[in-house]
Amino acid sequence: MSDVLETIKSRRSIRKYKSDMIPQDRLEKIIEAGTYAATGMGKQSPIIIAVTNKELRDKLSAMNAKIMGVEIDPFYGAPVVLIVLADKARPTYIYDGSLVMGNLMLEAEAQGIGSCWIHRAKEEFESEEGKELLRSLGIEGDYEGIGHCILGYADGDAPKAAPRKDSYVYYVE
């Protein structure tokens, strides 16, 4: 089995993290993998916001929890949040951003870092608070939130993969 396939098969969503920050060199490799995701016509519609600042991370967590209607940390204690947004002017922006998310999670697994895709980025960055946050970071444009890729060291064992369903693939010969 190829190393890539092994990484794909072993990657699982982690929902409990240690507070330890991940090393900068590993974070940079994960982000680099995201920047090499396939995009429609190679136009690279997504952007990645790497959040390691605890105050901003906690603010994003609170925004996300409010949208979700809960008072828990939807980022499960992960110390790093990679926000993926994509330029709505590109017709493939949702797919482009989704591929970035996939690459981020796969490289995280390859680096021994836990990850999970957390939703509600769309709602966060459609809000006035989210738009103001982007402006405060100097980010301009008509971006839609695709997802949050949370990262950190797993606090416990990764869950086991569910068996693949029988009707997953249909061959036409």
Side-chain angles (χ1 to χ4, degrees), residues 117-147:
W117 180 327
I118 305 299
H119 289 285
R120 295 168 296 283
K122 179 182 189 307
E123 295 85 351
E124 274 178 45
F125 293 99
E126 284 177 345
S127 74
E128 281 310 311
E129 186 177 12
K131 290 176 184 178
E132 178 53 38
L133 175 61
L134 292 178
R135 283 190 292 270
S136 76
L137 297 173
I139 298 170
E140 297 180 13
D142 192 14
Y143 289 102
E144 183 170 303
I146 304 301

Side-chain angles (χ1 to χ4, degrees), residues 26 107-114 152-154:
R26 288 187 184 190
E107 183 59 26
E109 177 69 16
Q111 292 292 325
I113 305 294
Y153 291 105

Side-chain angles (χ1 to χ4, degrees), residues 30-35 46-50 82-85 100 104 139:
I30 294 165
I31 292 168
E32 183 178 14
T35 69
I47 62 171
I48 302 166
I49 303 171
L82 302 180
I83 307 162
V84 176
L85 300 107
V100 169
L104 294 172
I139 298 170

Side-chain angles (χ1 to χ4, degrees), residues 29-76:
K29 286 180 182 176
I30 294 165
I31 292 168
E32 183 178 14
T35 69
Y36 278 89
T39 61
M41 298 178 68
K43 296 295 184 182
Q44 302 177 37
S45 69
I47 62 171
I48 302 166
I49 303 171
V51 179
T52 57
N53 174 284
K54 183 167 177 17
E55 184 180 332
L56 180 54
R57 177 251 181 252
D58 291 348
K59 179 179 180 173
L60 290 165
S61 173
M63 289 170 64
N64 197 287
K66 184 177 178 181
I67 293 163
M68 193 177 181
V70 298
E71 293 186 16
I72 60 165
D73 175 14
F75 299 154
Y76 301 105

Side-chain angles (χ1 to χ4, degrees), residues 11-14 17 22 30 78 105 108-109 112-116 149-154:
R11 197 214 71 79
R12 291 285 156 275
S13 293
I14 302 300
Y17 292 87
I22 62 176
I30 294 165
M105 292 184 293
E109 177 69 16
I113 305 294
S115 68
C116 189
C149 180
I150 60 171
L151 300 172
Y153 291 105

Side-chain angles (χ1 to χ4, degrees), residues 6-39:
E6 186 58 39
T7 300
I8 290 168
K9 290 175 78 171
S10 64
R11 197 214 71 79
R12 291 285 156 275
S13 293
I14 302 300
R15 292 182 176 85
K16 186 176 180 189
Y17 292 87
K18 297 177 183 176
S19 61
D20 305 351
M21 184 56 69
I22 62 176
Q24 185 66 29
D25 63 327
R26 288 187 184 190
L27 178 58
E28 288 173 6
K29 286 180 182 176
I30 294 165
I31 292 168
E32 183 178 14
T35 69
Y36 278 89
T39 61

